[in-house]
Amino acid sequence: MAQADKILLGTGVFSVGGTAIGLTRGGGTFSLEREIRHIDADGDRGFVEGRQMIDKEFPKLVVNGLDLFTAADLLKYYPALSNTTGTVTGTLAIAAGDYVDVTWVGKTKDGKGVTITVQNALNLANLEWGLEDKSETVATLEYTGHYTEANRNTPCWSVVFAA
């Protein structure tokens, strides 16, 4: 296989809670932030192999949505909101239903599928919209995966490469 065939293409579909997001601008990003602690001992001159611990891991799937602007959409994408006949306001309480699985499905240059999933994700981005003349508003949704109480040692993200 040629090296170019392994290139991951940026074109794909983002889904939140199993529902595809329509239009995006600027696509999105997947990141895995880790806090790695080095265990030091007297006499060490630097990091020593085998003495590292992953203390925290934060998987994130960020989506730049272009068409997220109905009352129903806001409730799907932002936590702790309520809708009363088209008026959206905050509830100040995150509900169990605010946690969703978020995916991006794309492919490599040779057509093999790639699926990125962040589980039990909560949009931690602020509700912030640039309201600029002669420009469209793009909402940034920053979904961060959360461990469950029962599975605090099982990562809440995956990248699946089709065979």
Side-chain angles (χ1 to χ4, degrees):
M1 175 188 313
Q3 292 296 324
D5 290 343
K6 297 178 184 177
I7 294 172
L8 181 61
L9 303 177
T11 303
V13 176
F14 291 96
S15 296
V16 175
T19 302
I21 288 182
L23 300 173
T24 61
R25 180 179 292 163
T29 58
F30 170 66
S31 64
L32 181 63
E33 297 174 15
R34 287 179 164 169
E35 289 182 14
I36 298 176
R37 178 172 40 93
H38 302 279
I39 301 169
D40 295 323
D42 291 343
D44 287 351
R45 297 186 185 278
F47 299 141
V48 176
E49 182 179 333
R51 285 200 260 143
Q52 289 75 33
M53 296 291 299
I54 297 174
D55 284 341
K56 294 182 181 181
E57 187 174 76
F58 303 99
K60 293 182 184 181
L61 196 54
V62 177
V63 183
N64 298 307
L66 187 59
D67 66 347
L68 311 177
F69 298 100
T70 68
D73 287 339
L74 292 181
L75 268 60
K76 284 191 297 191
Y77 302 124
Y78 291 93
L81 296 180
S82 70
N83 173 16
T84 305
T85 62
T87 300
V88 176
T89 190
T91 64
L92 300 179
I94 296 171
D98 290 333
Y99 295 90
V100 293
D101 290 349
V102 181
T103 60
W104 177 83
V105 178
K107 61 183 177 179
T108 58
K109 186 174 177 293
D110 65 350
K112 292 187 177 167
V114 178
T115 301
I116 299 170
T117 303
V118 176
Q119 299 168 321
N120 305 316
L122 187 65
N123 176 13
L124 296 180
N126 290 325
L127 204 153
E128 181 177 339
W129 303 333
L131 306 170
E132 186 179 333
D133 187 33
K134 298 183 180 143
S135 184
E136 297 76 32
T137 298
V138 178
T140 299
L141 309 175
E142 185 177 299
Y143 286 97
T144 301
H146 288 68
Y147 293 83
T148 63
E149 197 64 45
N151 292 310
R152 293 187 296 163
N153 290 313
T154 302
C156 51
W157 65 276
S158 65
V159 179
V160 177
F161 295 89

